[in-house]
Amino acid sequence: MRLAVFPPSPLLAAWVEDFWVFELDPGAAPLVVLPSTSSFACFVFGAAIEADGPEAARGSAFSGLQTRPFELRPVGGLGAVVVRFAPWGAGAFVRAPLDAFVDRRIELEVLFAPSAVAELEDRLAETTDDAVRIALVEGFLLRALHVPAPPPALVQLLREVGARGGTEPVHHLARRHGLSERQLERRLGAALGLGPKRFARIVRLQAALAHAEAPWVEIASDCGYTDQAHLIRDFRHLLGLTPEAWRRHAPSAAAQRFNRVPGTSVFSNTVFL
């Protein structure tokens, strides 16, 4: 496996966390994508990739926020450029309600001009220079960008959710920002595709995963769960595993490489198993 990570240019830094260029060898183990606070766009320049779920996306695709795991299986050697959006970032490029993409992986040709996607894939495959690949993808994104800047109040609100590990009650968060709970629900639903409670639940899970070497009773207390039983219920609901099963399930080598990418924000970066 080869993985290179690049920061976005200043023109995209408000929307994009980072870019990953990676190549997986034929026969690489499947990657299980975990619930995450990031949406992804994957521009494939190698073999196809299969995914679980109702969508049969096998090429370049967009993944909205995930509330449950799904599996990606490379078909042959896979090369791709992945755009990891900030939580509020994807809506600046995708001209559709984001709740339609929660727990789904949609072919990019459905969202953008098929000829433009095909041309980009061809150009990515023609070069071996990662910097050129990033420049090509950034150009594609800049042409799709239709929002001048993210709303500062929204960015601040979501950063607070991340900084507090998703532990602040929704009614407290709404009140601090001068909103009703219904207004907060609508605002985050439009920006993320998820309401505040579901988003905070994922943030809290990510915080627990980041501290998974500690005793579970300590993790439950430190991460804002009411008790260890609450933590166990969330693990089962969001991961399909108990905490102990999660601890025993060693991530694949590729997953460990991705998960070690340094985070660039207050949001955690454990995204693969």
Side-chain angles (χ1 to χ4, degrees):
M1 175 190 174
R2 186 180 72 86
L3 171 66
V5 182
F6 297 84
S9 71
L11 293 175
L12 290 174
W15 310 105
V16 173
E17 294 271 6
D18 48 33
F19 294 93
W20 299 346
V21 182
F22 70 91
E23 295 176 276
L24 297 178
D25 298 328
L31 285 167
V32 178
V33 183
L34 303 177
S36 172
T37 55
S38 292
S39 298
F40 294 85
C42 180
F43 297 85
V44 173
F45 58 83
I49 186 167
E50 295 179 338
D52 289 336
E55 303 300 328
R58 289 176 55 86
S60 298
F62 172 73
S63 298
L65 293 184
Q66 303 299 311
T67 67
R68 59 178 183 264
F70 73 95
E71 187 175 274
L72 294 176
R73 298 176 298 275
V75 181
L78 173 67
V81 178
V82 170
V83 184
R84 191 164 67 102
F85 294 106
W88 54 84
F93 308 93
V94 176
R95 294 177 180 268
L98 291 178
D99 58 358
F101 305 109
V102 173
D103 291 324
R104 299 178 71 188
R105 186 172 183 273
I106 307 295
E107 294 276 9
L108 287 182
E109 292 181 351
V110 175
L111 304 175
F112 305 101
S115 59
V117 175
E119 179 184 0
L120 177 57
E121 290 174 334
D122 289 344
R123 295 183 69 184
L124 292 174
E126 289 167 358
T127 182
T128 58
D129 188 320
D130 287 344
V132 172
R133 285 174 171 149
I134 296 302
L136 289 169
V137 172
E138 286 207 326
F140 180 94
L141 292 176
L142 287 169
R143 289 188 291 275
L145 183 64
H146 62 270
V147 179
L154 172 69
V155 173
Q156 179 62 29
L157 186 154
L158 290 173
R159 283 178 174 161
E160 289 175 9
V161 174
R164 291 172 169 82
T167 61
E168 184 175 16
V170 169
H171 64 279
H172 287 175
L173 181 66
R175 186 167 60 244
R176 281 198 304 103
H177 286 267
L179 302 170
S180 69
E181 289 188 53
R182 180 181 288 269
Q183 288 172 322
L184 181 61
E185 181 82 26
R186 287 199 300 265
R187 190 165 298 185
L188 293 199
L192 306 174
L194 290 179
K197 290 182 180 179
R198 295 177 74 193
F199 182 73
R201 194 178 190 187
I202 295 171
V203 172
R204 188 172 56 201
L205 173 74
Q206 289 279 300
L209 296 179
H211 298 90
E213 298 303 316
W216 290 117
V217 66
E218 291 183 14
I219 294 171
S221 176
D222 293 344
C223 294
Y225 293 93
T226 54
D227 52 28
Q228 190 170 343
H230 183 194
L231 179 145
I232 292 170
R233 288 196 301 272
D234 263 22
F235 266 62
R236 283 178 167 159
H237 181 82
L238 294 170
L239 297 179
L241 296 169
T242 65
E244 277 305 312
W246 160 266
R247 187 171 277 169
R248 292 194 301 267
H249 197 305
S252 66
Q256 293 181 56
R257 291 281 300 278
F258 283 117
N259 293 340
R260 284 197 295 266
V261 174
T264 55
S265 71
V266 296
F267 297 96
S268 182
N269 189 36
T270 302
V271 292
F272 294 107
L273 180 63

